[in-house]
Amino acid sequence: VIVSDYDRGVVTELVAKGVSRFCQKFGIPLIVDARERPLAWYKRAFGYLSLLTPNRRELSGMLGREVKTLSEIDSAAREVVEALNCDVLVTLSEHGAELFTRDGAKHRFNAKNGKPVSVSGGGDALVAAISVCLAKGVPLVDACEIAQHAAAICVGKPGTDAALAME
């Protein structure tokens, strides 16, 4: 299950709690595409969470401090992993992404494209591809690698467009 409402007010704390409980009850992975909400909100709203996918700005907003350098990203992501007991994939635009897992591991994924034509939809494609992979039983690290390719395909097209299986 993917939760992403672009912070438009659809996913209230009550809705988040309900989705979280449902996913936990049935053992369904829950992926949350983060927004700039405080970490305390995520902690209250999601008692169960599999993967959180903030970008650098959203990670800064969650923690209420600037997160710019790779060292700061590393420290901040590990803080979120610890607080929420979930894996965290920090998306870094043209610099790829870094996955921090509950077991303490860190995995780096390079961006798969040259210059993006349009960055709209890249994060959505990434999260969608990860969810499809997980549903098919692909391990999270491999799912993140595949998702980098899907995101690259999407941002390589004008406007918003889907990544097709043949691509």
Side-chain angles (χ1 to χ4, degrees), residues 69-161:
T69 68
L70 290 177
S71 175
E72 290 169 340
I73 290 168
D74 188 282
S75 174
R78 291 181 193 281
E79 185 178 333
V80 173
V81 168
E82 177 82 17
L84 300 179
N85 189 34
C86 70
D87 300 319
V88 175
L89 180 68
V90 181
T91 58
L92 303 168
S93 300
E94 70 276 7
H95 302 291
E98 290 188 334
L99 174 65
F100 299 84
T101 60
R102 286 170 268 204
D103 65 6
K106 175 181 164 183
H107 304 272
R108 176 90 172 109
F109 305 97
N110 294 320
K112 306 300 180 197
N113 57 315
K115 289 188 175 184
V117 174
S118 170
V119 295
S120 295
D124 296 328
L126 184 92
V127 170
I130 290 170
S131 68
V132 168
C133 287
L134 294 178
K136 290 291 203 174
V138 175
L140 179 59
V141 173
D142 296 331
C144 291
E145 182 68 34
I146 292 167
Q148 284 293 315
H149 290 279
I153 290 165
C154 289
V155 300
K157 298 177 180 182
T160 56
D161 205 341

Side-chain angles (χ1 to χ4, degrees), residues 32-93:
V32 175
D33 192 11
R35 295 295 168 231
E36 291 184 58
R37 292 181 178 173
L39 183 60
W41 185 89
Y42 287 96
K43 198 168 175 104
R44 285 191 315 269
F46 294 100
Y48 168 81
L49 178 57
S50 305
L51 178 67
L52 187 69
T53 63
N55 61 30
R56 192 179 313 203
R57 185 189 80 249
E58 292 160 344
L59 188 59
S60 293
M62 288 175 72
L63 298 172
R65 66 176 187 267
E66 286 283 330
V67 177
K68 291 184 178 180
T69 68
L70 290 177
S71 175
E72 290 169 340
I73 290 168
D74 188 282
S75 174
R78 291 181 193 281
E79 185 178 333
V80 173
V81 168
E82 177 82 17
L84 300 179
N85 189 34
C86 70
D87 300 319
V88 175
L89 180 68
V90 181
T91 58
L92 303 168
S93 300

